[in-house]
Amino acid sequence: MSIEDFDPIRIRKDFPALDQTIHGKPLAYLDNAATSQKPRAVLDVLSEYYERDNANVHRGIHELSRRATVAFEAAREKVASWINAPSAAECIWTRGTTEAINLVATAWGLDHVGEGDEILISVMEHHSNIVPWQLLAARTGATLKYIEIDDEGRLVLDGLESLITERTKIVSISDVSNSLGTINPVKTIVDASRAVGAIVMVDGAQGVVHTKVDVQDLGCDFYAFGGHKMCGPTGVGVLWGRLELLEAMAPFQGGGEMIQIVERDQSSWAAVPHKFEAGTPNIAGAIGMGAAVDYLSNIGIEAIAIHESEIMAYAMAQLSLVPGLRMFGPSSLDDRSAVISFTMGDAHPHDISTILDTEGVAIRAGHHCAQLVMKHFGVSATARASFYLYSTQEDVDRLVEGLDQVAAIFG
Ligand code: 7TS
């Protein structure tokens, strides 16, 4: 779809949850960085699967199992092409971004990271891309290091050579920050990591939602993302990894599906990706995520990105007029995604969010699982509005009107 044909009002009609009132006011859903709403096309695929095709995958020799398996594997092909993975076999179904990062930190990390080695992440990471590496460092004796951020919430990359050294085994970085919206120069980090032979993992939970991601072009080794922020169901996500790395890795969890032969004292493993998919997977979730890829592909991620940057330009301009409002993150739209974190005078972000909720405006308030970002900026929490393909200028106006109520109460 070209941007001329892109019509958020028509797109909104695809999302049943957007069509409701909250406390008597139409819902303005601005919490998309936490999770997106789901289009009818995805909801239908989920219920059709359960009503017609429900069976376990790769197991039964019966028609329903065949259908479920075909749809499950077709969804894998869809998510692979969404990120331009060289092959669907390199895409492992996980519970979400968090599990995908834990998979790498455990299954790759425990065999490749040791005492004296270094793991590099950044201060702006979501806790999902911090805690797994802390656990790995504690288990192996490795050192966890951080790329700092500046006062606009950008990575400080001066002196990157002194951070990424021969001791660095893995660098794990988000392509887009969930709390600041910063779009990170992942390729620069990949180049510096390649120079010393370090592996690069990208936390793509927020990136893949808003822009075209091409893992081959990025040059990273692992890319993690989930379904629920991109119009798909919760509880499903993908780890993409380079085939040679995945093949050399030990399994993450043991159980059914991931074995070739089980003997009393040992077992051998199924081929990638099944080696990493122990137990009954989230079959409906995977199929639903495939349907979300179809839905977004039909609209076109490029048109969605242009729409979001228009909404962001409008929102930043409008919010900059609100007295006492402080925005965090890059001031330029060029390296900023569809997220605005802010504080307002002395009003606590939870109070801002509560007042906005009474006006039907849904935002998130808190530390956004990014406590290191909050610490950097000397705040305990922020309010956060985040936009998506169905966001409109009217949503932004509703937010600004709601903030007038906040100002009226807090002065
Ligand atoms: N990484 C980033 C950058 C994220 O934004 C999130 C979720 C995760 C990892 C974890 O994803 P999960 O689906 O496995 O939980 N971010 C948010 C958020 O900003 N508000 O709620 C969840």
Side-chain angles (χ1 to χ4, degrees), residues 71-281:
F72 182 72
E73 292 302 331
R76 197 191 302 273
E77 298 280 346
K78 292 175 191 181
V79 294
S81 79
W82 184 241
I83 56 166
N84 197 30
S87 113
E90 299 179 348
C91 291
I92 297 156
W93 291 116
T94 65
R95 256 188 328 116
T97 307
T98 303
E99 190 177 65
I101 298 171
N102 277 279
L103 193 164
V104 175
T106 308
W108 184 87
L110 287 176
D111 281 340
H112 293 88
V113 176
E115 191 146 6
D117 290 340
E118 292 178 0
I119 303 160
L120 183 65
I121 59 174
S122 91
V123 166
M124 75 165 71
E125 301 311 312
H126 185 282
H127 297 165
S128 294
N129 197 27
I130 298 176
V131 183
W133 306 113
Q134 291 177 337
L135 291 170
L136 178 63
R139 283 174 190 158
T140 58
T143 303
L144 182 59
K145 292 188 133 187
Y146 286 87
I147 303 174
E148 298 298 327
I149 56 174
D150 65 19
D151 287 343
E152 283 212 355
R154 293 191 179 90
L155 295 176
V156 177
L157 295 178
D158 300 341
L160 192 59
E161 326 74 59
S162 62
L163 277 176
I164 303 183
T165 69
E166 301 291 329
R167 284 192 298 276
T168 313
K169 286 290 169 289
I170 187 159
V171 180
S172 190
I173 201 87
S174 50
D175 49 4
V176 172
S177 149
N178 71 315
S179 57
L180 298 162
T182 317
I183 299 172
N184 289 323
V186 172
K187 276 188 177 190
T188 305
I189 292 166
V190 168
D191 290 345
S193 307
R194 284 273 167 274
V196 298
I199 293 293
V200 181
M201 160 138 223
V202 178
D203 170 354
Q206 301 287 346
V208 79
V209 176
H210 302 290
T211 47
K212 176 72 199 145
V213 168
D214 179 335
V215 290
Q216 300 187 56
D217 182 51
L218 270 183
C220 58
D221 299 287
F222 295 106
Y223 191 93
F225 62 112
H228 70 94
K229 295 183 206 290
M230 46 175 276
C231 297
T234 50
V236 67
V238 173
L239 171 69
W240 169 78
R242 285 184 193 282
L243 192 60
E244 63 274 21
L245 289 174
L246 295 174
E247 282 179 339
M249 275 158 65
F252 174 46
Q253 295 175 332
E257 268 308 278
M258 51 74 72
I259 52 84
Q260 196 172 29
I261 294 170
V262 174
E263 292 171 279
R264 281 187 178 230
D265 302 324
Q266 62 186 20
S267 301
S268 57
W269 316 132
V272 168
H274 306 295
K275 176 170 77 173
F276 296 104
E277 295 179 354
T280 301

Side-chain angles (χ1 to χ4, degrees), residues 4 18-19 24 36 40 74 79 122 135 164 166 185 198 233 250 265 333 335 342 362 364 368 407:
E4 289 78 36
L18 294 177
D19 183 22
S36 71
R40 173 66 66 202
V79 294
S122 91
L135 291 170
I164 303 183
E166 301 291 329
D265 302 324
L333 278 173
D335 50 3
F342 62 93
R364 183 169 173 189
H368 316 292

